[in-house]
Amino acid sequence: MAAPDPASYLPLPQAQLQVLVALTEGDKHGYAIMQDVERSSGGTVRMGPASLYGTLKRLVEQGLAEERPQAGDPDDDQRRRYYGLTGLGTAVCEAEVGRLADLVRSARRNLRLRTT
Amino acid sequence: MGRRPTRRMYRALLHLYPRSFRDDYGDDLVALLDDLCAGAGTAAAWRRTAVDLLVTVPRYRMESVMSEHHSDTAVVVGLTLLVTGGVLGLLTGVPAGLVLLPLAAALAVVRRSALARSLRTTAGGRRHRRLVTAAVLGVVCLASAASYLVAVADPDVSGASLVLHNAVGVPTMVGALAFLVAGRLTPRTPATAR
């Protein structure tokens, strides 16, 4: 069976992209993902518990993320579930970031043209 | 508010979500609220969670309704309404009502796989099927009873119309009651595992 084309998942909903970007740093549990999303968005994106786990559920269903065995910290609550990116998730994240970068480049060029 | 009342209250509120979501993530949601309370304070955590509930409960419920199982149920409900409207049309002599019965037949043919799935043994089994049948017959009976009341108030109503009303109303009432009793007496079957 052919590997799915990452471009077929684009454009990604913002919440999914935010979570995928948070997971690019490594496997994380829900609260860590929530904090990362808030930090990386400058406090503008503040997910609630159900929004976060609804997003994680969709990412797992699409094969972009998966549940992982708990990463190293023995002091951490053993009941926490950790999530990480799959290969496909990494590829989709890269494709979406590339798409947005092209968009930003195009917008900046056009805005510079308008002001000159 | 202490941790335990917070957990209990949130766990109760989680019943607003579809069962599958609650079963899969209920513990994680409660643990995350705990973390939020520890990090941001209980009031701030509940403010964020309240908004989250308002936004996500309707959305996740709608997504659950649009799932295959529930769209099969929607086909049964739609057919019931069309058949009821068609029968009412027959009883009251409204020509538009006669269009509804062929529409119901067309819907049943086009969505026959959905209809077959919804009538097949489900997690509730025979009990579920009998109660659904009772509900469908009950709706048709109520509609014909309402039509009958309108008809008898008309001094010019024909005897044939009243006979037709009784011919529809009595069997559907008897059938609804029979299926209701049978359904209630049928033991529940355990839900199938996901």
Side-chain angles (χ1 to χ4, degrees), chain B residues 1-105:
Chain B
M1 190 188 298
R3 283 246 181 123
R4 290 183 72 163
T6 291
R7 276 197 205 122
R8 262 204 299 271
M9 191 184 306
Y10 192 46
R11 213 173 262 289
L13 287 168
L14 290 181
H15 281 83
L16 295 170
Y17 289 104
R19 178 189 279 272
S20 59
F21 185 72
R22 198 167 68 239
D23 288 347
D24 288 345
Y25 296 105
D27 290 344
D28 299 288
L29 290 165
V30 172
L32 187 47
L33 180 63
D34 266 351
D35 288 333
L36 269 174
C37 288
T42 306
W46 270 111
R47 274 198 298 275
R48 185 189 293 208
T49 305
V51 172
D52 189 49
L53 279 161
L54 284 172
V55 167
T56 55
V57 165
R59 197 169 87 220
Y60 294 176
R61 279 284 173 190
M62 182 64 73
E63 284 169 4
S64 173
V65 164
M66 296 304 289
S67 71
E68 187 183 80
H69 170 70
H70 287 91
S71 71
D72 294 346
T73 304
V75 168
V76 173
V77 169
L79 270 173
T80 304
L81 291 173
L82 285 172
V83 167
T84 305
V87 166
L88 270 178
L90 271 179
L91 294 175
T92 57
V94 173
L98 297 175
V99 170
L100 296 179
L101 287 175
L103 263 177

Side-chain angles (χ1 to χ4, degrees), chain B residues 74-165:
Chain B
V75 168
V76 173
V77 169
L79 270 173
T80 304
L81 291 173
L82 285 172
V83 167
T84 305
V87 166
L88 270 178
L90 271 179
L91 294 175
T92 57
V94 173
L98 297 175
V99 170
L100 296 179
L101 287 175
L103 263 177
L107 180 61
V109 165
V110 165
R111 295 303 304 271
R112 60 190 176 280
S113 56
L115 199 56
R117 270 195 307 269
S118 65
L119 294 176
R120 206 176 295 147
T121 303
T122 62
R126 232 177 295 159
R127 176 186 166 95
H128 173 80
R129 251 200 334 257
R130 286 170 180 170
L131 291 175
V132 167
T133 308
V136 169
L137 289 173
V139 168
V140 177
C141 172
L142 282 172
S144 82
S147 171
Y148 181 79
L149 289 173
V150 169
V152 292
D154 180 0
D156 297 325
V157 67
S158 69
S161 173
L162 292 177
V163 167
L164 190 56
H165 275 87

Side-chain angles (χ1 to χ4, degrees), chain A residues 33-61:
Chain A
I33 297 171
M34 183 187 268
Q35 287 179 304
D36 276 356
V37 167
E38 191 171 335
R39 189 169 46 239
S40 65
S41 66
T44 55
V45 178
R46 302 172 75 215
M47 301 179 89
S51 298
L52 173 65
Y53 279 101
T55 303
L56 278 168
K57 176 175 181 266
R58 268 184 284 283
L59 289 172
V60 168
E61 283 169 356

